[in-house]
Structure formats: structure tokens, C-alpha cells
């Protein structure tokens, strides 16, 4: 029987919700491109419930305990005295989320000799040291596509919010003002702008599709070109590198995984090469951008705005400079954890566990590391240093 150690974010300050704003979720038939939705044998939760926080337990307890497994759920994840670190040495499976990542460093993996499976309840497994997972034979899986569209919606919201100066204008209302000139002196239309994505995978392409009706010029860079038909349909301009794309765009959105090729990509040089007054949206991973270079670019006016929901580390400390830099639209890491997304990634996590315990293959598209090497989606989208 297995011990499953699950790290989730804290419950709401007023406790787990008794009721919700809406009664149901729209029914989806599948993901764009034909990938099927998670298909576990059963669900022990109501779709639309808060599953991603500690009391929600990803809806896994009944399923795991009925099969004789042990489930430990905690939000206490950092430092040597954390519950995560105390429970890790005899854990067989670790489940974590990018929003509240249990950093599975090489040192921690070395302290967990029984660990065989690390599941990301969401997308993005950079909180796991993939080199160490490969070395120790740990399978890494994530719920590919579960929240890609959720993030794409958030990106579009953030682009519009920054360009149109929504958040400061809303603040004037909260403060009892009617300061139209203050609101509009940084407000523009996106119509006619050049907007580019660094990576056009599931999220990047969904962002492009959602922006097309705004009559903007769309650009992208990726390691592989999109099909010609897609380029034509969306009137896309392909760039061979992020550096090439960044110089011509008014808005850049980052939608690549964090791995050795992308870490620190948006540093002082690349930010300095962008058009003065460009906007940068990063919902991918914080360390793709240089923390202090972003602050400097906003202070100098090189960037007109920066928004996103990814920070390093997470949770961000109270004195993280991105909390107080000018012209930002940051949220905590929430874009991929809407109630809609939670239903999908909780179901996908259960599907992965069902496959694992039954000894049947985990879907290829969910795999990041397997059999001592990058596998599935991991082999396509990630790189490792060794
Ligand atoms: P996909 O795997 O569908 O897409 C990733 C894309 O990035 C692929 O097209 C890949 O290229 C491309 N890519 C990888 N390296 C580079 C590079 N060096 N330069 C240019 N393109 C590159 O993943 P998703 O779109 O679903 O998610 C992307 C990332 O977004 C995740 O890895 C995660 O970090 C982040 N994310 C954030 C969430 C949030 O809540 N904020 C939630 C979900 C994801 P190719 O395959 O062609 O080699």
C-alpha cells in the first residue's frame, strides 16, 4: 500500500466554502485539437467545488483510502521542519501544484528513497528537479491541457487590463474619485498593436486565437513552427527567436516552460531591446524574466506595464519588489486554478493515480519524465542539463 503525500495551498481565510457563486460548470466535450478530458473511473467531488486547497484534498481521500493507501495533505511545505519534509522520507507518491509548489529539489529526492511518482496537479513541473528525478527513477507526470485555456483567458485579461489601464482606474472608483484624466492618461486601445507570444504551445496558441478578433498583428516564436494553415488562418508572423520577436512587439506574452533554455531569457538586454513602452505578460514562470531587470525597466519607462501571476519563490515574500513596482498587474499564482480548472486537474490527477496503481501506462501526453528520461510532453517541451 502506498503513502501519498499531497501539498496544497491553504484554505480561504474564512474556511472552506459552504456555497459557491455559481451552481454548475459548462460542459466541455474535449480540448482543442482533440485531446480528451481526464477520464478517471469515478469522481468523489462535485465539479466546481474548491478542490485545490487543503480541505478540498483534490477529492482524492475516499478513492485512496478505499484502496488501502494513506493520504497525507498539508500546506506546510518549506524548510527542514515543514510537515512536507517530515513526511517525505517514506512517501511513495508526491502530489504538488505549481501555485503552491512543494519544491522537490535534488536533496529532497535523495531523502525519499521510496519515491516513485511525482504528480503535478496542473501544468509545469519545474518545481521538480528533473535531472534528479531522471537519476533516481522517479516518474514525473502532469495534467496536460487541464488549465491551458484558463491561463490563456487570464493572459488576454491582463493584456487588456494593462493597455487600457483598468486596475488604476478601478482604484479611483474604490477611492471615491471620478478622475477621468488620471485614468486615461495611460490608457490605449489594443487595436492595431503588434502582439507576440514566446512559445505557441497549448497556451500560446490559445492566446493567439483569442486575440485575433481584436484586429491586432500577431507574432510568435517557438522551437517548432505551427502548421502553415494555422499561420495563414491567424495571419501570424513567425520569428526565429524571442530576441527577434521582442524588438517589434508592443505586447509580449511568455508561454514557454521554465527549463535551461528559457531561464533568465528576459534579462536586461532583451528588455532593453524592446520598444519603449512595451507591455510584458508572464504567466509562464517567474524565472524566465530577471526579477530586478523588470523592476528597473518599469521604473525607467522602458516597459509600460508588467503583469502575470508567477513569482519566485512561491509564496512570494511580503517584500518581493514585484508587489510594489510601478504599473504592474500581478496576481498571486491563480490563472490555472479557477474552479473550472480544478475540476479538470483533480480528475486528471486521479486518472494518473488509477493508472499508476493498476500498473497500466499513464497517458503519454501526461508524462514529463519516465523510465529515466524525458518522456511524452516532457520530451517535446523541456530540456535538462545532463
Ligand atoms: P505546452 O507544452 O503545450 O507548450 C509549451 C511550448 O513551449 C511548446 O510549444 C514548446 O515548444 C515551447 N518551448 C519550449 N521551449 C522553448 C523555447 N526555448 N523557445 C520557444 N518556445 C519554447 O505547454 P502549455 O502551453 O500548456 O504551458 C506552457 C507553460 O505555461 C507551462 O510549462 C507552465 O510553465 C506555464 N503554465 C502556467 C500556469 C499558471 O497557472 N500560470 C498554468 C499552466 C501552465 P516545442 O514543443 O515546439 O518544442
Amino acid at each position: 500500500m502506498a503513502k501519498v503525500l499531497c501539498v496544497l495551498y491553504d484554505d480561504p481565510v474564512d474556511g472552506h466554502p459552504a456555497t459557491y457563486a455559481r451552481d454548475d460548470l459548462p460542459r466541455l466535450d474535449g480540448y482543442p485539437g482533440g485531446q480528451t478530458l481526464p477520464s478517471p473511473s469515478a469522481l468523489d467531488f462535485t465539479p466546481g467545488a474548491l478542490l485545490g486547497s487543503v480541505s478540498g484534498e483534490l477529492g482524492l481521500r475516499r478513492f485512496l483510502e478505499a484502496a488501502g493507501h494513506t493520504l497525507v495533505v498539508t500546506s506546510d511545505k518549506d524548510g527542514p521542519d515543514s510537515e512536507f519534509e517530515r513526511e517525505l522520507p517514506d512517501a511513495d507518491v508526491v502530489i504538488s501544484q505549481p501555485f503552491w509548489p512543494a519544491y522537490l529539489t535534488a536533496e529532497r529526492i535523495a531523502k525519499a528513497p521510496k519515491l516513485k511518482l511525482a504528480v503535478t496537479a496542473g501544468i509545469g513541473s519545474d518545481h521538480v528537479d528533473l535531472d534528479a528525478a531522471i537519476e533516481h527513477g522517479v516518474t514525473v507526470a502532469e495534467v496536460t491541457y487541464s488549465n491551458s485555456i484558463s491561463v490563456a483567458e487570464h493572459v488576454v485579461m491582463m493584456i487588456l487590463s494593462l493597455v487600457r489601464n483598468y486596475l488604476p482606474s478601478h482604484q479611483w472608483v474604490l477611492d471615491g474619485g471620478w478622475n477621468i484624466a488620471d485614468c486615461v492618461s495611460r490608457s490605449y486601445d489594443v487595436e492595431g498593436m503588434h502582439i507576440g507570444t514566446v512559445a505557441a504551445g497549448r497556451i500560446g496558441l490559445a492566446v493567439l486565437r483569442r486575440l485575433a478578433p481584436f484586429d491586432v498583428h500577431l507574432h510568435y516564436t517557438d522551437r517548432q513552427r505551427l502548421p502553415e494553415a494555422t499561420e495563414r488562418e491567424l495571419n501570424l508572423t513567425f520569428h526565429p527567436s524571442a530576441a527577434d520577436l521582442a524588438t517589434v512587439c508592443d505586447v509580449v506574452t511568455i508561454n514557454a516552460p521554465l527549463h535551461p533554455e528559457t531561464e533568465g531569457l528576459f534579462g536586461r538586454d532583451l528588455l532593453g531591446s524592446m520598444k519603449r513602452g512595451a507591455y510584458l505578460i508572464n504567466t509562464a514562470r517567474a524565472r524566465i524574466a530577471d526579477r530586478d531587470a523588470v523592476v528597473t525597466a518599469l521604473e525607467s519607462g522602458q516597459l509600460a506595464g508588467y503583469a502575470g501571476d508567477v513569482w519566485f519563490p512561491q509564496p512570494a515574500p511580503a517584500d518581493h519588489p514585484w508587489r510594489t513596482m510601478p504599473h504592474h498587474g500581478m496576481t498571486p499564482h491563480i490563472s490555472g486554478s479557477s474552479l473550472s480548472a480544478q475540476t479538470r486537474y483533480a480528475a486528471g490527477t486521479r486518472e494518473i493515480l488509477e493508472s499508476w496503481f493498476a500498473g497500466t501506462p499513464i497517458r503519454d501526453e501526461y508524462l514529463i519524465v519516465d523510465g529515466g528520461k524525458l518522456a511524452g510532453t516532457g520530451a517535446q517541451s523541456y530540456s535538462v542539463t545532463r
Side-chain angles (χ1 to χ4, degrees):
M1 292 302 112
K3 172 174 168 182
V4 179
L5 176 55
C6 183
V7 178
L8 299 175
Y9 47 81
D10 287 316
D11 283 346
V13 287
D14 294 332
H16 200 69
T19 59
Y20 291 90
R22 295 180 51 79
D23 296 327
D24 57 13
L25 298 179
R27 201 188 120 78
L28 303 181
D29 296 324
Y31 296 117
Q35 186 185 315
T36 54
L37 294 166
S39 51
S41 61
L43 290 180
D44 294 326
F45 59 81
T46 306
L50 179 62
L51 302 165
S53 69
V54 171
S55 294
E57 300 182 323
L58 295 175
L60 291 173
R61 185 168 295 279
R62 198 186 315 168
F63 152 65
L64 286 172
E65 292 186 345
H69 305 299
T70 306
L71 175 66
V72 177
V73 182
T74 182
S75 64
D76 182 19
K77 68 184 183 69
D78 293 319
D81 299 327
S82 61
E83 191 175 349
F84 177 62
E85 194 118 358
R86 285 198 306 275
E87 296 283 353
L88 186 60
D90 62 345
D92 301 274
V93 177
V94 165
I95 303 171
S96 176
Q97 302 183 97
F99 324 106
W100 188 261
Y103 295 107
L104 260 180
T105 58
E107 296 72 38
R108 280 175 159 176
I109 288 176
K111 281 189 210 156
K114 294 178 72 184
L115 184 64
K116 284 282 164 284
L117 175 65
V119 182
T120 302
I123 301 173
S125 297
D126 50 274
H127 58 281
V128 180
D129 185 316
L130 297 183
D131 289 299
I134 287 171
E135 196 175 306
H136 290 262
V138 177
T139 294
V140 181
E142 59 186 47
V143 191
T144 305
Y145 234 141
S146 58
N147 55 15
S148 303
I149 301 302
S150 323
V151 178
E153 291 185 2
H154 208 81
V155 172
V156 173
M157 172 185 82
M158 286 181 151
I159 291 173
L160 291 169
S161 302
L162 286 186
V163 174
R164 302 205 55 91
N165 206 33
Y166 167 57
L167 292 169
S169 306
H170 182 60
Q171 190 62 47
W172 278 112
V173 169
L174 297 178
D175 294 344
W178 190 259
N179 299 48
I180 293 175
D182 289 290
C183 298
V184 300
S185 55
R186 293 186 67 89
S187 177
Y188 298 88
D189 296 349
V190 295
E191 184 183 25
M193 284 189 168
H194 289 257
I195 305 185
T197 175
V198 175
R202 293 171 181 83
I203 297 174
L205 179 57
V207 170
L208 292 169
R209 285 197 183 288
R210 279 155 183 73
L211 287 172
F214 283 91
D215 290 332
V216 291
H217 305 279
L218 294 173
H219 302 251
Y220 80 102
T221 183
D222 198 291
R223 299 195 300 194
Q224 292 170 54
R225 273 184 92 142
L226 290 165
E228 225 181 295
T230 310
E231 288 193 351
R232 230 178 301 116
E233 177 200 344
L234 299 172
N235 197 18
L236 302 179
T237 304
F238 173 77
H239 296 265
S241 66
D244 198 63
L245 172 138
T247 54
V248 300
C249 286
D250 303 287
V251 180
V252 173
T253 153
I254 306 174
N255 298 296
L258 173 67
H259 59 122
E261 277 174 34
T262 56
E263 187 164 358
L265 182 63
F266 279 80
R268 205 168 299 273
D269 290 347
L270 192 50
L271 290 170
S273 75
M274 294 173 79
K275 289 171 76 169
R276 193 191 78 83
Y279 303 86
L280 184 58
I281 315 294
N282 180 9
T283 52
R285 285 296 178 262
R287 285 185 294 153
I288 296 175
D290 179 289
R291 186 191 74 170
D292 296 335
V294 167
V295 176
T296 307
L298 286 166
E299 285 171 351
S300 72
Q302 173 61 14
L303 282 180
Y306 181 94
D309 66 333
V310 285
W311 307 68
F312 187 79
Q314 289 189 175
D319 62 353
H320 193 294
W322 286 4
R323 290 184 188 269
T324 48
M325 62 191 179
H327 312 304
H328 81 81
M330 296 298 296
T331 63
H333 195 163
I334 57 164
S335 65
S337 199
S338 59
L339 294 175
S340 321
Q342 290 176 43
T343 292
R344 293 187 292 273
Y345 68 63
T349 301
R350 174 154 172 180
E351 181 190 324
I352 290 168
L353 292 174
E354 285 182 359
S355 303
W356 179 260
F357 290 129
T360 54
I362 293 170
R363 285 194 212 196
D364 212 39
E365 62 251 35
Y366 289 165
L367 289 174
I368 302 300
V369 168
D370 194 38
K373 55 182 187 330
L374 290 175
T377 293
Q380 202 192 331
S381 294
Y382 286 77
S383 66
V384 284
T385 51
R386 284 169 207 162

